[in-house]
Amino acid sequence: MCVTLALSSTYTETMENNNEETKPEVLLQEKGEIIKPLIPEGVVEDLVKNIYGLDVIRFKELNSYDDRNYHVTVHDQSRNPHIPKVWEDGYILKILNSMDSKRPVIVEAQINLLEHLRNKNISVPENVPTISGESMSLQKVFAERDPTDRENTPYGTYIVRLLKYIPGDILVNKPCTPGLLRNVGKFIGAFSNAIKGFHHPFYDTHSLVWSLVEFSKLKEFVFVVRDENNKRVVDEIISAFESDVFPKLGEFQRGVIHGDLNEQNILVEEVPGQEDVPQESRVYDVSGLLDFMDVTDTYPIFDVAINIAYMSIICDPSEQVDAGGHILAGLIPIFPLNDVELDVLQTSVCARLCQSLVMGAYANYQDPSNLYVLTTAEKGWPLLHKLWSTPKEVLKDRWQCLIDQ
């Protein structure tokens, strides 16, 4: 066996140690440290069988920044007393990166959040218990499936989870129409209202380098940007965020946010009754939301900015500047924003683009084999320059016209 189940006492001890921490540190990978799990052939089947009592028919790896995610289809017989009926749409096997796997409490907080959102009729994944009834499993995975010399074979220790698969297609595969953007805005409004009132003590102190409240930390990573013009714009946006956004945090609505509302984490389905509409013009609606590893307790306006940043990237270049207006047109009737939040939106959108571009370059600098982290760069840098060079009042008026329509 290449996979060995960690003793429950070790797991419990890890949980207790994490619960005792009053302020978790923001973890960063070291230069040359590969945190994305190394999973040899055959291990996915072993994990699903040994931990969850299910037999894999087939599986497909999904895109992921630094975890491993697999859509697995299984036989309809279960040896897991906690799975009385096999989920016909299959499951997502999620293997967390080696850094997040050191903090099981982050998964416990996330499971509580997912349950809260499902009770509010937001379509999010449902956690599946292990054969022994645990919410997750800490696993030692060797670099070889059946090592003959276990003492000298490299291995990684990862948190493994299984979630029910939500049918649908990821948004990035669909045409970026104004109707889709408005529907995304509506969903973000509904999500922001549904998450109100949720509390878990882990999020009281939890932060991460991707959070916009930590945006100043980006200064430590700008050295990976080689183009001087790009670096200049990033420096300008960092300065503007520190002078124009940070002083106004107290005037924003406060609450738990998703933190990564990008085109890969939003599931969509076609709106019925479009048989006569060309495929490239059809409108889609949101059917589910994935990946809650970047959740923090900060400000909902940052969720809006994050989404506008990513949705603008995937739009046709001629329509990128208007993407934010269409999203706001769907959002504001459901989740109103105040004048201060609207005033900082352009800078916040550009700040998220900076994070994605710079941190993507840094992750590739750490691990050159991870090319997925560079997917934003080709369209992201031109978009950043375009948005940042647009006068604030011009952009606000343009978006307001779309909202009023």
Side-chain angles (χ1 to χ4, degrees):
M1 282 291 294
C2 64
V3 183
T4 56
L5 180 63
L7 296 176
S8 59
S9 58
T10 303
Y11 171 80
T12 304
E13 180 182 357
T14 305
M15 288 292 296
E16 289 174 351
N17 288 340
N18 275 276
N19 285 334
E20 288 173 1
E21 295 176 356
T22 57
K23 189 173 183 179
E25 60 180 331
V26 177
L27 300 178
L28 291 173
Q29 64 190 106
E30 300 294 333
K31 175 70 174 76
E33 178 189 13
I34 299 176
I35 65 172
K36 194 161 187 169
L38 301 175
I39 307 298
E41 185 176 349
V43 169
V44 169
E45 296 94 322
D46 289 346
L47 290 169
V48 176
K49 180 179 181 179
N50 297 332
I51 305 173
Y52 293 97
L54 300 169
D55 295 316
V56 175
I57 299 175
R58 58 184 175 275
F59 67 88
K60 176 184 178 182
E61 184 166 7
L62 308 175
N63 287 334
S64 180
Y65 199 88
D66 48 23
D67 299 326
R68 295 281 184 185
N69 296 322
Y70 304 90
H71 179 202
V72 297
T73 303
V74 300
H75 288 282
D76 58 4
Q77 298 298 314
S78 167
R79 296 180 299 280
N80 186 333
H82 305 285
I83 306 179
K85 184 179 180 181
V86 172
W87 189 248
E88 61 182 16
D89 294 309
Y91 299 89
I92 295 295
L93 179 72
K94 190 172 187 68
I95 306 174
L96 268 61
N97 65 75
S98 57
M99 241 172 20
D100 286 333
S101 292
K102 297 173 183 177
R103 302 180 297 168
V105 67
I106 194 173
V107 179
E108 291 292 350
Q110 183 187 134
I111 291 171
N112 287 353
L113 173 58
L114 294 178
E115 183 178 0
H116 171 89
L117 290 170
R118 284 197 306 277
N119 290 336
K120 298 287 186 176
N121 297 316
I122 300 295
S123 180
V124 294
E126 181 178 351
N127 204 70
V128 178
T130 67
I131 292 175
S132 58
E134 294 179 336
S135 58
M136 70 190 92
S137 176
L138 191 62
Q139 295 287 318
K140 178 188 287 187
V141 180
F142 289 99
E144 303 173 17
R145 187 182 183 192
D146 295 302
T148 54
D149 183 5
R150 291 186 171 230
E151 291 187 3
N152 297 309
T153 301
Y155 67 89
T157 304
Y158 311 114
I159 288 177
V160 177
R161 301 173 60 200
L162 196 69
L163 303 105
K164 290 182 178 180
Y165 177 77
I166 302 176
D169 202 355
I170 55 175
L171 187 150
V172 70
N173 294 332
K174 301 305 177 185
C176 191
T177 62
L180 170 62
L181 294 171
R182 285 194 295 273
N183 286 340
V184 169
K186 290 178 184 177
F187 176 81
I188 296 173
F191 170 82
S192 300
N193 284 325
I195 206 170
K196 284 180 181 177
F198 173 79
H199 175 260
H200 189 284
F202 172 74
Y203 296 124
D204 290 345
T205 54
H206 171 61
S207 191
L208 65 164
V209 71
W210 281 94
S211 173
L212 278 173
V213 296
E214 304 290 351
F215 184 56
S216 292
K217 286 186 169 64
L218 200 67
K219 296 174 185 176
E220 303 171 22
F221 306 96
V222 179
F223 72 90
V224 298
V225 179
R226 302 303 179 190
D227 185 281
E228 288 301 322
N229 196 31
N230 290 341
K231 186 178 294 186
R232 173 189 59 79
V233 169
V234 171
D235 289 341
E236 287 181 5
I237 294 169
I238 292 174
S239 177
F241 198 91
E242 290 178 335
S243 62
D244 300 339
V245 180
F246 278 142
K248 299 173 182 174
L249 293 180
E251 300 177 68
F252 299 166
Q253 300 171 74
R254 177 96 196 198
V256 174
I257 70 171
H258 179 277
D260 197 16
L261 291 174
N262 67 48
E263 75 285 3
Q264 302 279 350
N265 290 334
I266 298 174
L267 296 176
V268 296
E269 59 186 4
E270 187 176 307
V271 174
Q274 300 185 88
E275 292 78 12
D276 296 331
V277 178
Q279 195 70 41
E280 67 275 9
S281 301
R282 293 185 180 180
V283 177
Y284 291 78
D285 206 350
V286 177
S287 60
L289 184 60
L290 309 175
D291 195 353
F292 287 75
M293 291 304 295
D294 286 355
V295 171
T296 56
D297 187 345
T298 54
Y299 307 95
I301 186 60
F302 289 158
D303 251 357
V304 179
I306 289 166
N307 180 255
I308 291 176
Y310 288 117
M311 296 304 297
S312 299
I313 289 175
I314 66 171
C315 286
D316 184 272
S318 64
E319 300 173 354
Q320 287 177 324
V321 173
D322 287 337
H326 293 304
I327 292 167
L328 292 172
L331 170 93
I332 287 177
I334 299 171
F335 188 80
L337 301 175
N338 63 45
D339 290 341
V340 180
E341 291 168 330
L342 289 170
D343 189 62
V344 303
L345 195 49
Q346 179 186 19
T347 303
S348 300
V349 170
C350 291
R352 181 50 168 209
L353 287 171
C354 288
Q355 284 183 318
S356 184
L357 293 163
V358 174
M359 296 308 296
Y362 179 74
N364 181 255
Y365 166 79
Q366 299 282 60
D367 177 12
S369 67
N370 189 354
L371 299 179
Y372 172 71
V373 297
L374 300 177
T375 52
T376 302
E378 183 178 355
K379 295 177 71 175
W381 284 113
L383 171 63
L384 179 63
H385 285 276
K386 184 188 300 184
L387 283 179
W388 188 239
S389 64
T390 303
K392 180 192 288 188
E393 293 306 318
V394 171
L395 188 63
K396 285 176 66 176
D397 289 346
R398 191 162 176 165
W399 285 355
Q400 188 62 52
C401 286
L402 294 170
I403 295 170
D404 292 341
Q405 289 175 8

